[in-house]
């Protein structure tokens, strides 16, 4: 069984103990993750701190290394994608897509042209400009649902901007990130990229380390709020990508046969374990039954299975806690009178599987509608007045994504602009434009990832004001 090591100061290290990581489809051990000791977290941050000045001084070396990282990922995409499938559960064609996306992100920032200095004044007496400087050591803390792309969305801009990084993956899916560290060991100078694994305690130690200047986090709202509070004492910079409870609004003129497949995947991709998946589906009452019928037909033919089985469309939930949460939400919805049109149960056999579940008969006030389910269960809620649907969609503490489905594109856009969401779509959901800033309103986050805005988060401004001797 393979043991996966930490990456600290350019060297691979065993941890203070080995944590077994289970395959969620079989509940068998996939491999062992080294857990970092306190001294190792400290050593990783110190290594990043020591590497910072040299790394920050050489933008060309940064570009070259980022381009090399992209090609190393491409060369190793099969082994990395297989490991993601085995520890996270998603079908291989999607994990291959994740690795390809991560490579494309490294490439994007390898070729990214940051805006140059802004000249405010330049004359005989004075030259004043605004420039950008990197921050120092960045702590990158990531979740278990899409482990590699979510990490690389942080790494690539942080490193491009001249920072050094200590990354910590989720304890549920650490192996692919530790493998990434092994693959990138010689791509970056020692100390520029460090990877420590462990649970929330390791995350807490890393994020509160006095030498860390920026925390970039993707995960739950509860942990995000805790990090925000913790960062205050040291005024650390922070980027938070948190949960969502995305609404999709299907208007009365929507073409159900044309959109059913896309809607289904908008809700069920990765078994619903996506921060910006469709989590509440509001449909005009005239289309309620046809939409339920179309989604149930699609759900019932969905092939559940192991991520490495080529026939599989949906894998299991990634861990037992998440399965138990989804089961509890469905049980609670049943108590509130929900109608379960498909799924609703854990199938026989090993693994954390849950069949795609279409639910109706519940609305606001029931946890499955009000909270983020993060699983393959979709509540469908009829409306008669679109104004009421907009109000319900916005009546949420979350504000990550939202979509409108209609044949009338202009009306769809107008409604999308009224939805409280950092990502708004018409006739699609989940699509992310390369270079687009990804961020959420309200409890869904703070700051942006991706593109220019994602890069800017990893630097501070410096106003440089130079007095010139009069000649
Ligand atoms: P989930 O409950 O879905 O696993 P979390 O927000 O707990 O989501 O986890 C996301 C990441 O945050 C993981 O890498 C986890 O280990 C880390 N984490 C959990 N608690 C803390 C904490 N108190 N400080 C820093 N990181 C933490």
């Amino acid at each position: 069984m393979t043991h996966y090591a930490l990456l600290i100061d350019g060297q691979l290290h065993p941890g203070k103990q080995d944590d077994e990581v289970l395959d969620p489809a079989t509940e068998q051990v996939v491999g062992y993750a080294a857990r970092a000791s306190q001294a190792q977290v400290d050593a990783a941050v110190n290594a990043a701190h020591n590497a910072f000045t040299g790394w920050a001084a050489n933008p060309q070396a940064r570009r070259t290394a980022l381009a090399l990282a992209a090609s190393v990922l491409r060369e190793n995409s099969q082994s990395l994608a297989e490991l993601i499938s085995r520890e996270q559960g998603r079908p291989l064609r999607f994990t291959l897509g994740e690795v390809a996306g991560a490579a494309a992100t490294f490439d994007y920032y390898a070729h990214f042209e940051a805006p140059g200095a802004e000249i405010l004044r330049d004359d005989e007496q004075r030259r004043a400009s605004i420039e950008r400087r990197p921050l120092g050591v960045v702590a990158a803390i990531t979740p278990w649902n899409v482990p590699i792309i979510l990490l690389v969305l942080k790494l690539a801009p942080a490193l491009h901007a001249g920072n050094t990084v200590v990354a910590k993956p989720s304890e549920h899916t650490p192996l692919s990130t530790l493998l990434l560290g092994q693959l990138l060991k010689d791509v970056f100078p020692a100390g520029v990229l460090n990877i420590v694994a462990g649970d929330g305690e390791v995350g807490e130690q890393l994020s509160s380390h006095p030498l860390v200047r920026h925390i970039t986090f993707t995960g739950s709202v509860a942990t995000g709020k805790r990090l925000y509070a913790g960062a205050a004492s040291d005024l650390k910079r922070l980027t938070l990508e948190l949960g969502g409870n995305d609404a999709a609004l299907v208007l009365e003129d929507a073409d159900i046969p044309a959109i059913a497949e896309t809607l289904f995947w908008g809700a069920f991709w990765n078994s619903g374990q996506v921060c910006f998946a469709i989590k509440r589906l509001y449909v005009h009452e005239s289309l309620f039954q046809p939409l339920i019928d179309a989604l149930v037909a699609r759900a019932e033919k969905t092939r559940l299975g192991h991520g490495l089985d080529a026939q599989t469309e949906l894998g299991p939930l990634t861990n037992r806690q998440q399965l138990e949460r989804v089961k509890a939400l469905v049980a609670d919805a049943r108590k509130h009178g929900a109608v379960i049109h498909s799924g609703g149960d854990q199938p026989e056999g090993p693994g954390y599987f849950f069949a795609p579940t279409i639910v109706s008969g519940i609305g606001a006030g029931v946890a499955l509608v009000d909270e983020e389910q993060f699983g393959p269960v979709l509540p469908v809620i009829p409306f008669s007045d679109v104004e009421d649907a907009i109000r319900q969609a916005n009546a949420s503490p979350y504000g990550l994504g939202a979509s409108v489905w209609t044949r009338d594109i202009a009306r769809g856009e107008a409604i999308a602009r009224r939805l409280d969401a950092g990502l708004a779509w018409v006739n699609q959901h989940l699509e992310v434009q390369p270079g687009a800033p990804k961020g959420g309103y309200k409890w869904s986050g703070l700051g942006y990832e991706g593109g220019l805005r994602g890069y800017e988060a990893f630097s501070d401004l410096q106003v440089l004001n130079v007095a010139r001797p009069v000649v």
Side-chain angles (χ1 to χ4, degrees), residues 124-408:
E124 280 165 14
Q125 284 84 37
R126 206 170 283 275
R127 183 179 185 279
S129 59
I130 307 172
E131 302 182 11
R132 285 203 168 267
R133 296 187 45 159
L135 302 165
V137 180
V138 170
I141 300 177
T142 48
W144 45 260
N145 58 332
V146 204
I148 293 299
I149 187 77
L150 292 180
L151 175 59
V152 173
L153 273 170
K154 301 176 183 310
L155 284 186
L159 294 172
H160 171 98
N163 304 281
T164 55
V165 175
V166 181
K168 190 203 86 67
S170 165
E171 56 274 39
H172 296 296
T173 56
L175 303 182
S176 47
T177 300
L178 292 172
L179 175 58
L180 181 77
Q182 196 179 311
L183 295 171
L184 298 181
K185 181 170 88 69
D186 301 318
V187 169
F188 298 102
V192 165
L193 170 64
N194 305 271
I195 301 194
V196 293
D199 57 10
E201 235 174 82
V202 173
E204 182 115 31
Q205 194 204 338
L206 171 61
S207 58
S208 57
H209 197 290
L211 290 177
V212 166
R213 290 315 314 149
H214 184 107
I215 303 162
T216 169
F217 171 79
T218 302
S220 65
V221 171
T223 304
K225 287 181 178 177
R226 206 171 153 155
L227 287 171
Y228 198 12
S233 63
D234 192 30
L235 288 179
K236 293 186 199 303
R237 274 53 173 160
L238 196 78
T239 312
L240 301 175
E241 289 287 330
L242 307 179
N245 193 9
D246 290 15
L249 274 55
V250 178
L251 308 189
E252 70 278 7
D253 68 343
D255 181 349
I256 297 296
I259 65 173
E261 181 79 10
T262 318
L263 269 179
F264 178 84
W265 286 107
F268 290 99
W269 190 83
N270 202 21
S271 300
Q273 301 168 114
V274 184
C275 43
F276 51 88
I278 299 174
K279 294 183 181 138
R280 301 175 282 157
L281 183 52
Y282 295 93
V283 54
H284 189 267
E285 57 191 5
S286 62
L287 295 180
F288 178 74
Q289 200 54 50
L291 182 59
I292 292 274
D293 293 345
L295 291 175
V296 167
R298 185 62 187 85
E300 284 177 345
K301 68 172 193 191
T302 303
R303 293 184 300 266
L304 301 188
H306 195 284
L308 296 184
D309 177 344
Q311 302 304 313
T312 297
E313 290 182 302
L314 286 187
L317 279 297
T318 300
N319 53 70
R320 181 170 291 285
Q321 291 98 299
Q322 197 53 31
L323 173 67
E324 294 306 330
R325 168 158 170 80
V326 167
K327 282 160 85 173
L329 285 170
V330 172
D332 175 71
R334 278 198 166 103
K335 260 194 245 150
H336 285 86
V339 182
I340 310 292
H341 298 269
S342 68
D345 289 308
Q346 181 182 6
E348 290 284 302
Y352 311 138
F353 289 98
F354 201 84
T357 301
I358 309 292
V359 180
S360 72
I362 52 169
V366 178
L368 181 57
V369 176
D370 292 351
E371 296 176 19
E372 178 178 32
Q373 64 274 46
F374 219 68
V377 182
L378 181 65
V380 185
I381 303 154
F383 67 84
S384 55
D385 175 3
V386 73
E387 290 302 320
D388 186 43
I390 295 169
R391 189 188 51 71
Q392 290 191 64
N394 287 341
S396 166
Y398 294 97
L400 191 51
S403 56
V404 184
W405 302 72
T406 172
R407 290 183 221 225
D408 183 343

